[in-house]
């Protein structure tokens, strides 16, 4: 039986990169594997980097949940829960730490990259080093075999498969090796052309105010060689085009007009503003409504945690037997 698990860290507002890179796929999977999709708010993972900035974690959690539901994650079809409310994640994490060689952690590309890039914070802590072990525990606790993630997370999936092989070789076959599933939108650009990310201040939020949205689209990077309308455009160098294509795969006409020099960048931007605002307006409405009903959101998490805990308890029982505790 197929089981899906994925998660996101409640470290800030969600943007279009999250939607195309992950959430769109989550919704499709939820419709394919009804009641077998586990979507987790990874608040312990948030602590691995935000250990000194905890004031907004709870607020971010509810905002993220409101965004998930607004874009179509359905609590009747999926199990939505918060990691720290199912404490058995920490037991499996602890057990997995016992069989994890330290060099597996030090050589992890995400660890090496972030230690190099993030200079304003001390990340040389045990929790951050152990990030992939906690992620493995999240996946294995539900025996998930499909893990929809962004491309940057694939190294953690590889790590999880290695842990599974090691666990099975020590204690007998317990887990299957999960596979990562990425979408074709592995790297949605931000308005400045770099990867859209909350750390770069270049994102379009799922709940963006429409005036702010228009301002951001106006300032998007386009092909630097197309200055006048009649200049022939190179759409592969254009952020506006990347978005138009993400929203509508069949935008060849626009592409032709850009290449032929019969449409200006401003005209393209106008079209994009309309497309994104049509997409965002209903989300905003739903999001505002949900955030006024925090007790409903908390109820969803409570129910999800109860369902998740049932499966987690079964797995931990099997794991304790396997390691003879
Ligand atoms: P951020 O870079 O904004 O902090 P996260 O690390 O919280 O984003 O990403 C959560 C998930 O969304 C990951 O699976 C990640 O790969 C995906 N994701 C984030 N930004 C993008 C993007 N610009 N394009 C595609 N996927 C993305
Ligand atoms: N590390 C993931 C991210 O930053 C979030 C996450 C935590 C996760 N646990 C997970 C994703 C388990 C998939 C499966 O996006």
């Amino acid at each position: 039986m197929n089981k899906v698990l994925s998660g996101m860290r409640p470290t800030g507002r969600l943007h279009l990169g999250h939607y195309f890179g992950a959430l769109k796929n989550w919704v499709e999977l939820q419709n394919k594997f009804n009641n077998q999709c586990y979507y987790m708010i990874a608040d312990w993972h948030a602590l691995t980097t935000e250990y000194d900035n905890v004031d907004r974690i709870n607020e971010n959690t509810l905002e993220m949940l409101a965004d998930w539901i607004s874009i179509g994650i359905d609590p009747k079809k999926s199990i939505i829960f918060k990691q720290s409310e199912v404490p058995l994640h920490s037991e499996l994490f602890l057990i997995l730490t016992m069989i994890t060689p330290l060099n597996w952690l030090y050589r992890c590309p995400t660890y090496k990259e972030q230690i190099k890039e993030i200079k304003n914070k001390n990340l040389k802590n045990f929790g951050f080093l152990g990030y992939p072990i906690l992620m493995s525990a999240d996946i294995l606790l539900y025996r998930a075999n499909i893990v929809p993630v962004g491309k940057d997370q694939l190294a953690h999936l590889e790590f999880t498969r290695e842990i599974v092989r090691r666990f099975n070789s020590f204690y007998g076959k317990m887990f299957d090796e999960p596979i990562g599933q990425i979408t074709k939108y592995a790297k949605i650009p931000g308005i400045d052309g770099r990867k859209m990310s909350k750390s770069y201040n270049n994102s379009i939020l799922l709940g963006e105010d429409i005036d702010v949205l228009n301002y951001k689209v106006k300032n998007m990077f386009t092909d630097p060689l197309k200055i006048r309308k009649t200049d022939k455009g190179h759409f592969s160098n254009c952020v506006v085009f990347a978005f138009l294509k993400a929203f509508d795969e069949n935008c060849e006409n626009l592409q032709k007009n850009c290449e032929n020099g019969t449409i200006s960048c401003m005209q393209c931007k106008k079209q994009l503003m309309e497309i994104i605002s049509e997409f965002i307006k209903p989300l905003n409405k739903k999001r505002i409504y949900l955030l006024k009903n925090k007790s409903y959101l908390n109820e969803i998490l409570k129910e999800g945690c109860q369902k998740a805990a049932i499966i987690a308890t079964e797995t931990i029982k099997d794991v304790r037997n396997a390691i003879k505790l």
Side-chain angles (χ1 to χ4, degrees):
M1 188 176 48
N2 283 312
K3 258 196 198 170
V4 177
L5 180 132
S6 196
M8 277 186 195
R9 306 187 319 137
T11 47
R13 294 278 299 273
L14 297 189
H15 51 64
L16 288 177
H18 293 120
Y19 174 68
F20 285 111
L23 292 171
K24 195 165 181 265
N25 195 19
W26 290 17
V27 174
E28 281 160 20
L29 285 167
Q30 138 191 293
N31 294 330
K32 204 160 151 197
F33 304 116
N34 200 348
N35 262 315
Q36 296 304 328
C37 293
Y38 292 77
Y39 295 132
M40 179 188 80
I41 293 173
D43 54 348
W44 277 339
H45 272 110
L47 283 183
T48 61
T49 55
E50 303 307 305
Y51 54 84
D52 58 349
N53 180 26
V54 292
D55 290 348
R56 278 200 53 89
I57 290 187
N58 272 335
E59 225 168 309
N60 287 341
T61 294
L62 291 185
E63 292 208 22
M64 192 159 90
L65 180 57
D67 280 336
W68 286 4
I69 294 171
S70 307
I71 59 107
I73 304 287
D74 181 348
K76 291 203 178 70
K77 293 183 183 165
S78 296
I79 294 117
I80 305 173
F81 68 101
K82 190 159 87 167
Q83 187 180 34
S84 65
E85 296 282 338
V86 186
L88 290 177
H89 286 248
S90 68
E91 182 169 340
L92 188 54
F93 165 76
L94 180 79
I95 291 165
L96 297 180
T97 64
M98 307 298 171
I99 61 166
T100 307
L102 273 178
N103 61 333
W104 289 15
L105 297 170
Y106 283 120
R107 74 173 185 215
C108 187
T110 43
Y111 180 76
K112 287 200 289 199
E113 196 183 298
Q114 301 214 37
I115 286 285
K116 206 166 99 193
E117 272 186 17
I118 300 176
K119 292 277 176 242
N120 59 349
K121 176 165 281 187
N122 183 0
L123 288 182
K124 295 209 166 140
N125 53 39
F126 175 62
F128 186 64
L129 181 66
Y131 189 110
I133 313 180
L134 183 55
M135 192 159 151
S136 303
D138 298 336
I139 297 166
L140 300 179
L141 198 53
Y142 302 94
R143 298 171 193 266
N145 57 338
I146 301 174
V147 185
V149 282
K151 207 171 171 187
D152 54 323
Q153 296 296 311
L154 284 182
H156 295 152
L157 258 294
E158 199 45 58
F159 179 94
T160 306
R161 281 197 290 273
E162 282 185 290
I163 285 272
V164 165
R165 293 197 284 273
R166 198 162 162 86
F167 188 100
N168 289 347
S169 76
F170 284 140
Y171 312 116
K173 175 133 175 40
M174 162 83 47
F175 298 114
D176 289 327
E177 292 180 33
I179 51 159
Q181 198 187 71
I182 54 170
T183 68
K184 55 181 167 232
Y185 305 106
K187 197 175 168 188
I188 290 287
I191 52 173
D192 58 359
R194 293 186 293 169
K195 182 189 167 190
M196 185 178 285
S197 167
K198 41 190 177 276
S199 358
Y200 295 152
N201 206 11
N202 64 354
S203 45
I204 294 181
L205 302 178
L206 285 181
E208 197 75 88
D209 173 83
I210 296 301
D211 289 336
V212 179
L213 167 73
N214 288 343
Y215 174 81
K216 287 184 173 175
V217 175
K218 241 187 223 158
N219 285 295
M220 265 185 188
F221 280 28
T222 53
D223 174 10
L225 297 176
K226 185 170 163 69
I227 296 156
R228 286 172 295 266
K229 174 176 171 176
T230 48
D231 292 336
K232 293 186 187 330
H234 306 85
F235 55 87
S236 52
N237 291 340
C238 175
V239 174
V240 176
F241 187 76
F243 276 101
L244 287 166
K245 188 135 178 89
F247 278 100
D248 176 11
E249 297 237 358
N250 308 312
C251 57
E252 288 103 358
N253 266 350
L254 217 58
Q255 185 176 328
K256 270 191 205 129
N257 292 338
C258 169
E259 283 174 317
N260 296 339
T262 49
I263 190 170
S264 70
C265 294
M266 206 50 222
Q267 282 172 300
C268 264
K269 284 182 174 177
K270 280 222 171 90
Q271 286 211 25
L272 184 61
M273 276 175 202
E274 271 167 35
I275 292 172
I276 305 186
S277 55
E278 280 310 297
F279 175 76
I280 278 182
K281 269 183 198 158
L283 298 187
N284 273 351
K285 222 167 135 187
K286 209 157 177 195
R287 178 175 201 283
I288 291 168
Y289 171 78
L290 287 166
L291 285 170
K292 280 193 189 135
N293 290 280
K294 292 209 166 106
S295 55
Y296 170 66
L297 293 175
N298 282 319
E299 200 49 45
I300 290 173
L301 288 180
K302 195 171 149 201
E303 234 176 72
C305 290
Q306 281 165 355
K307 287 187 193 159
I310 294 172
I311 309 296
T313 307
E314 284 169 12
T315 305
I316 287 293
K317 215 166 114 195
D318 292 344
V319 168
R320 286 184 196 161
N321 276 336
I323 61 173
K324 316 245 185 286
L325 289 184

